Amino acid sequence: MKILKFGGTSVANSQNIFRVENIIKKESAKHKIVVIVSALHGVTDGLIKAAEYASVKDDSYLSILKKLEDQHLLLVKELLPILEQSSWLSFVKKHFNDIEDLYHGIFVLGELTGRIKDKIASYGEFLSSSIISARLQYKGFDCLWMNSADLIKTDDNFTNAKVNTDLTEKNIREYLRVHQNQIIIAPGFVAQDENNNATTLGRGGSDYTASLIAAAIHADELQIWTDVSGMMTADPRLAAHAKPIFEISYHEAMELSHFGAKVLYPPSIQPVMTKNIDLKIKNTFDPDAPGTLVSHHLEVSENTRQIAVGVSNMSHIALLTLEGSGMIGIPGISARLFQCLNHEKINVILITQGSSEHSITLAINEKDRIAAENAINFSFADDINLKRVSPVKIENGLSIVALVGENMKNRSGVSARMFGCLGNNGINIRAIAQGSSERNISIVISENDIRKAVNVLHEEFFESEIKQIHLYLCGTGNVGSKLIRQIYDQNQYLRENLLINLRIAGLSNSRKMIFADKGIPEEEYHHWNEYGQEASVHDFTEEIISRNLRNSVFVDITASPEIPKVYEKLLKRSINIVACNKIAASSDFEQYKTLKNTARNHNCNFYFETNVGAGLPVIGTINDLIKSGDKITAIEAVLSGTLNFVFNNYDGSKTFSEVVAQAQQEGYTEPDPRLDLSGTDVARKILILAREAGYPLQFDEVENISFLPEACMQGNVENFYEKLSEYENHFKSLLANAQKEGKILKYTAEFKNGKAKVGLQHIAPGSDLFHLYGKDNIVIFNTLRYSEQPLVVKGAGAGAEVTASGVFADIIRSI
């Protein structure tokens, strides 16, 4: 015999009940079955709500009862033919007349006892099971309605009665021995005390009814039919890639359910778990889906099973901490603590205690925090007055996340992986608990981090094939647009070969910004300005933080002095930063160190390779040398692709002004070319290289030998070009002086003996800097290891495409 339980949306309306009927038809063709039915969806809550209104003399209860009555009358009309309806419509009306009489008494007395509440609540299952039984009988099934309340005997703890298991099992076995119908329909949730007063079985009561019946007769299988296809690896409302769990042990199922998996309620399945009866969770709306098998008889080797089976979560948690030096070595403290909570009927969800015995931390439901605080402080009042114990501390707004798996105990490093991926995403853990069975690691975190934490853990343990990266790009100009194009073009390769998926989750320029947690589709990118909202650096930053997505990377592709001001705030939330913008790394040395230390302290990355040499591996080379124990003694470099282009092309055939204009036209300069020609940009670059090499240099310590007349720096860009033309003889003389010596002009940067300088130099043919063409950069490192033959990095040092590729490489490196 099999036991089937239908509840929730499975019996919400006639259309769903037709689905239930088809399932019953299929199962009863092969087995005798007992079908447990919950109340119609929302009915029990409606009955209790109406009773609460009546108890405070609010006649709104009458309209609620009318709606519930109409709901049942409509069900009769939709399930039964007209000729069969009359008696059943009268049946419904009679019982709602009885219900209304009860409510009238509540209204007059202004009192709602637990006993009356149970009497009222029992009507929902009684009515639904009776009507469904009538439907099956009309359709010709060998069907009998069984009043499970007559068989399940409890104490008189109304609203949450305790079952007399021995008597209940005896009653069930005897009833099913006498009644051999192919289908037995029975209400769930309801029972009676020894005086035949209606009682109910509390949360998960219909599941409990089914479990009690299955255990009593040693059923072949218990099936729980719901609106999901079994248990999932995570809550699908939080983790979009949650997967069905096809097989799971009872212990694992109990752990997942305890920490929030809503499909099962642990006490409800205890009877079948004790009797080793297999349990299946199936989907009424997808009956052919395999569902989840919960069993003690799984035959899967430890090596083939996943480390974990699921991630579960529970919200609205409060942490209570009792601490004090007077607790150390004193027996009975824990007993007193739990006793006072038990007296208030407060359930303790999680417990952790330091080995010093100085403190005990408990997690409870947030709604119980005030009662718990009062009970504990009252119980420990004398100790608190004597300063042996501090008043209980309470933290609200928390959640519990649990990683569950029978196989975790056989694998080392599970905790390290769990805490590592959470830490890398800036998720602070307030408390940790791990059972001695090692099948559960539970943590308490902020409620605000729950979605991120569930996704991070699910991705780490169940989605190893693809890692989702969320990019927030600030700056969509020349370099930014090239980077976005590269991301769209390369993403398929990254998914297939590096198992990562880049999502452009946010875009901003100086005017507009837009967000899309699942990524901005390529086809929508070109039109994003049309529907973006008004942008500001502050709003863009706050939105990134509030969305709190895992594996986030902030990419600054601007020259704005405002954007680096938010770096520290983002790093403190463990958001990786990739910066093309040089301002942060060349700012005050203490601020530079603060950003580097903040990234390290919050387990995230701050990369700015493209600050020097565009896409060339210059900063990365320095870091590798330092990490391997080398020391950089000197740096000689050409660091401006713009200036190198200008002086490579200024040979007297064109004016200096014309060459600069050509460089700007080809995209090698800033909108204002003076930012390049003044040497400020090169000074910033050599400063950054010196700092990365370990030297605490400030920007004003870099000597800048300018070749531009002061007059060229005045006015706007148009004035600048006019002045260049006026001073053409000055530039010709610079070129002529170099040519007289058989040399060429290069704007160079140098760091040596702890000092840095930039300026225009005459370069001889034998120098490594001589054969440098177009917009190329070169960096020459002298180190302890590279003392006789320096290490040279050379290549294209300007241009939107190569700069974008350098930013792209930093993005990949940061994750």
Side-chain angles (χ1 to χ4, degrees), residues 612 616 618 635-639 689 777-781 791-794:
V612 182
L616 295 178
V618 179
I635 302 171
E636 188 178 12
V638 172
L639 296 174
L689 295 185
N777 279 193
I778 186 171
V779 184
I780 303 169
F781 295 109
L791 175 62
V792 178
V793 178
K794 179 181 177 182

Side-chain angles (χ1 to χ4, degrees), residues 483 486 578 607 609-610 615 803-815:
L483 173 62
Q486 291 175 9
V578 171
Y607 287 137
E609 179 67 77
T610 52
T803 304
S805 69
V807 174
F808 200 162
D810 267 357
I811 290 172
I812 301 303
R813 192 178 298 116
S814 73
I815 54 181

Side-chain angles (χ1 to χ4, degrees), residues 20 54 104 178 485 569 771 797:
V20 170
H104 180 68
V178 173
R485 179 75 269 146
K569 189 172 189 177
H771 298 287

